[in-house]
């Protein structure tokens, strides 16, 4: 089964952040708005700009990203949970 | 009887998501904003962009889509219930 | 007496939806935002776009339309009740 | 004394709608937002569009119009009460 | 001392409306949003439009204007009280 | 130490308005939104307009200005208190 | 590990402001909206303007900046806490 997000939306699989000693990203529990790690599964059909051209995505399939935990819409496909959110809501790419 | 949505609206027939073991999309009950599966019955008359040209739709008649459950307006035609919603509110195309 | 709506407004005469067995549009009572059937009596003077040109209407006099029940302004002319609403608030054309 | 509305504003003299049997506009008491009949006394200095040109008014001095009852600002000149409101708030021209 | 309003702002000296018998503007006490008469003392440095050109003011020094009573910011210079408000908030020029 | 405001922001040093007999600006205590005198210490890096050009500032270093008392962000540098606010929030230049 | 902010976002490492006698920036405790010193660690992938060109950043890696304390999203990488915020929310560059 295949999910193609619409417009500037992105399908992301949340990744449980491991509490590593060094090099890992640990989301502080006290943060007002908790970000969440995830992996981009699919980018959308693309946003159209004022001149009718498609705006390229900054993220691509496979990218690891930081996103707000409660900013998108949760869907379940084949027992896995994903998030569909607009690309502009993604905070950063983790490399 | 025929319904032609106005502007960038789309007419969608909601599809009851079957609780399949594998390959089906199961909407989690605990999700804050539950998406709903549906089938596109008709696309609208089209949105006009700043240069007076019609913006093409990303969805077409027959597409299976994911949409927010309470984002559009419900209408009943010949005993069937449909939703009229703006295309930008559709989350994804399911293929 | 003649009423010419201003700008992108449309004058619509609400039509009481008959509760037909087959082929009729029945507005469900439980819908959050109930749509209403109506007939377009007059379109407005037209909206002007950014380049100073008039944007054509998608609806025309005589069209049967679906509109939100409480979205416009009610006026009474010669004992009939009409609604004046912006064209973008019309949900669909019924054909 | 002379009042020249600024920008896209219009000076309107409200007209008490007579409760006629036939052909008159009777504003229903139960309407959520009651419109009011009026006569255009003066149009404004004009709105300037993005290209620096004045946007022409759709209404002119002498037009009978329908406007929302509480949408503008009330002023009294020589014992008469007028309303100053933006042209886009006028609902329709009555002819 | 000299005050030059910034951008599209205007400096206005409020004028106490005299309760004249004929020809005067009397602000009704019951008006929801009371307008106030005033005299333009200085126009601002000007608003810049999208093409980098200054938008000309519709009011000029010396004009008598109608403005909302509580729409601007009150300042006192040499024992006189003035209002600084955006030109678009001025309702009309009185001539 | 040097502070360069970002974009269309301005760094202003508030000046305590002296209660002069003549020629001074006295902020009335009863004003709904009290303005505050200040001196421009530095203008920002500049706002970019739609065509990619920097929009020039209307105020310059050394200008005496009127600004809203609580509209910006207060910072303390070398025991002095400053305000960083957007230029559009400055009400007027005092000359 | 590397974090690349998305769009016009910036990754900033907050710096604890030392309470210096002279030349230091001391954030007053009573300020309504407390700014915070920080060091820019990485700028984003860039914002695209209306003509499809990337808007250059006003800040660069290594800049010391003033930012609102609670305006961004807090992330922890390798035991250090950072803030991801939009460049427009940065108040000033400290030089």
């Amino acid at each position: 089964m295949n999910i193609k997000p619409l417009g500037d939306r992105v399908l992301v699989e949340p990744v449980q952040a491991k509490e590593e000693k060094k090099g890992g990203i640990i989301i502080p529990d006290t943060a007002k708005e908790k970000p969440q790690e995830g992996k981009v599964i699919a980018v959308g059909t693309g946003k159209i700009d004022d001149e009718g051209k498609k705006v390229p995505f900054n993220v691509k399939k496979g990218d690891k990203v930081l996103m707000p935990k409660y900013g998108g819409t949760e869907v379940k496909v084949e027992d896995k949970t994903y998030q569909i959110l607009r690309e502009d809501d993604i905070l950063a790419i983790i490399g």
Side-chain angles (χ1 to χ4, degrees), chain A residues 3 6 11 13 16 22 27 32 37 39 49 53 57 61 68 72 77 85:
Chain A
I3 295 185
L6 215 76
L11 181 72
E13 182 186 351
Q16 205 56 37
K22 214 68 201 271
I27 312 307
K32 209 179 58 183
E37 266 188 85
K39 202 171 74 179
D49 69 9
K53 279 181 287 191
F57 279 90
K61 191 179 159 174
V77 186
L85 72 166

Coordinates of all heavy atoms in Angstrom, one line a residue, chain A residues 3 6 11 13 16 22 27 32 37 39 49 53 57 61 68 72 77 85:
Chain A
I3 N 1.1 5.6 0.2 CA 0.4 6.9 0.6 C 1.2 8.1 0.0 O 2.4 8.2 0.2 CB 0.4 7.0 2.1 CG1 -0.5 5.9 2.7 CG2 -0.1 8.4 2.5 CD1 -0.7 6.1 4.2
L6 N -0.6 15.1 0.0 CA -1.1 16.1 -1.0 C -0.4 17.4 -0.7 O -0.2 17.8 0.4 CB -2.6 16.2 -0.8 CG -3.3 16.5 -2.2 CD1 -3.4 15.3 -3.0 CD2 -4.6 17.1 -2.0
L11 N 5.0 12.6 4.5 CA 4.7 11.4 5.4 C 5.9 11.0 6.1 O 7.0 10.7 5.5 CB 4.2 10.3 4.5 CG 3.8 9.0 5.2 CD1 2.4 9.2 6.0 CD2 3.6 7.8 4.3
E13 N 7.7 8.7 9.4 CA 7.6 7.7 10.4 C 8.3 8.1 11.6 O 9.6 8.3 11.6 CB 8.2 6.4 9.8 CG 8.1 5.2 10.8 CD 8.8 4.0 10.3 OE1 9.3 4.0 9.1 OE2 8.9 3.0 11.0
Q16 N 11.6 6.4 17.7 CA 11.7 6.6 19.2 C 13.1 7.0 19.4 O 14.1 6.3 19.2 CB 11.3 5.3 19.9 CG 10.9 5.5 21.3 CD 9.7 6.5 21.4 OE1 8.8 6.5 20.6 NE2 9.7 7.3 22.4
K22 N 26.1 9.7 24.3 CA 26.8 10.7 23.5 C 26.2 10.7 22.1 O 26.0 9.6 21.6 CB 28.3 10.3 23.5 CG 29.4 11.3 23.5 CD 29.8 12.2 24.5 CE 30.6 13.4 24.1 NZ 32.0 13.2 24.1
I27 N 15.2 14.5 23.7 CA 14.2 15.6 23.8 C 14.0 15.9 25.3 O 13.6 15.0 26.0 CB 12.9 15.2 23.2 CG1 13.2 14.6 21.8 CG2 12.0 16.3 23.1 CD1 14.1 15.5 20.9
K32 N 8.6 23.1 26.3 CA 7.2 23.5 26.1 C 6.6 22.8 24.9 O 5.5 22.3 25.0 CB 7.2 25.0 25.9 CG 5.9 25.7 26.3 CD 6.0 27.2 26.0 CE 6.3 27.4 24.6 NZ 6.4 28.9 24.2
E37 N 11.8 12.9 16.7 CA 12.6 12.5 15.5 C 11.7 11.6 14.6 O 10.8 10.9 15.1 CB 13.8 11.6 16.0 CG 15.1 12.4 16.2 CD 16.2 11.4 16.5 OE1 16.8 10.9 15.5 OE2 16.5 11.2 17.7
K39 N 11.6 9.7 10.3 CA 12.2 9.4 9.0 C 11.2 9.7 7.9 O 10.0 9.3 8.0 CB 12.6 8.0 8.9 CG 13.7 7.7 7.9 CD 14.3 6.3 8.0 CE 13.3 5.3 7.4 NZ 13.8 3.9 7.4
D49 N 3.8 27.6 -6.7 CA 4.0 29.0 -6.3 C 3.2 29.9 -7.1 O 2.4 29.5 -8.0 CB 5.5 29.3 -6.4 CG 6.0 29.4 -7.8 OD1 5.2 29.3 -8.7 OD2 7.2 29.5 -7.9
K53 N 4.7 27.4 -10.8 CA 5.8 26.3 -10.8 C 5.8 25.6 -9.4 O 5.4 26.1 -8.4 CB 7.2 27.0 -11.0 CG 7.4 27.2 -12.5 CD 8.8 27.8 -12.7 CE 8.8 29.3 -12.3 NZ 10.0 30.1 -12.7
F57 N 11.0 20.4 -2.7 CA 11.0 20.1 -1.2 C 12.5 20.2 -0.7 O 13.4 20.0 -1.4 CB 10.5 18.7 -1.0 CG 9.0 18.5 -0.9 CD1 8.3 18.3 -2.1 CD2 8.3 18.7 0.3 CE1 6.9 18.2 -2.1 CE2 7.0 18.6 0.3 CZ 6.3 18.3 -0.9
K61 N 12.9 11.6 0.6 CA 12.7 10.3 1.2 C 13.9 9.8 1.9 O 15.0 9.8 1.3 CB 12.2 9.3 0.1 CG 11.7 8.0 0.6 CD 11.3 7.1 -0.5 CE 11.2 5.6 0.0 NZ 10.7 4.7 -1.0
P68 N 7.6 18.7 15.2 CA 6.8 18.9 16.5 C 6.0 17.6 16.7 O 5.5 17.0 15.8 CB 5.9 20.1 16.2 CG 6.0 20.4 14.8 CD 7.2 19.7 14.2
G72 N 1.0 17.2 13.3 CA 0.4 16.7 12.1 C -0.8 15.8 12.4 O -1.4 15.9 13.4
V77 N -0.7 2.5 9.0 CA -0.7 1.7 7.8 C 0.1 0.4 8.1 O 1.2 0.5 8.5 CB -0.1 2.4 6.6 CG1 -0.2 1.6 5.3 CG2 -0.6 3.8 6.4
L85 N 2.4 15.7 7.8 CA 2.4 17.1 8.3 C 3.0 18.0 7.1 O 3.5 17.4 6.2 CB 3.3 17.3 9.5 CG 4.8 17.1 9.4 CD1 5.5 17.7 10.7 CD2 5.2 15.7 9.2

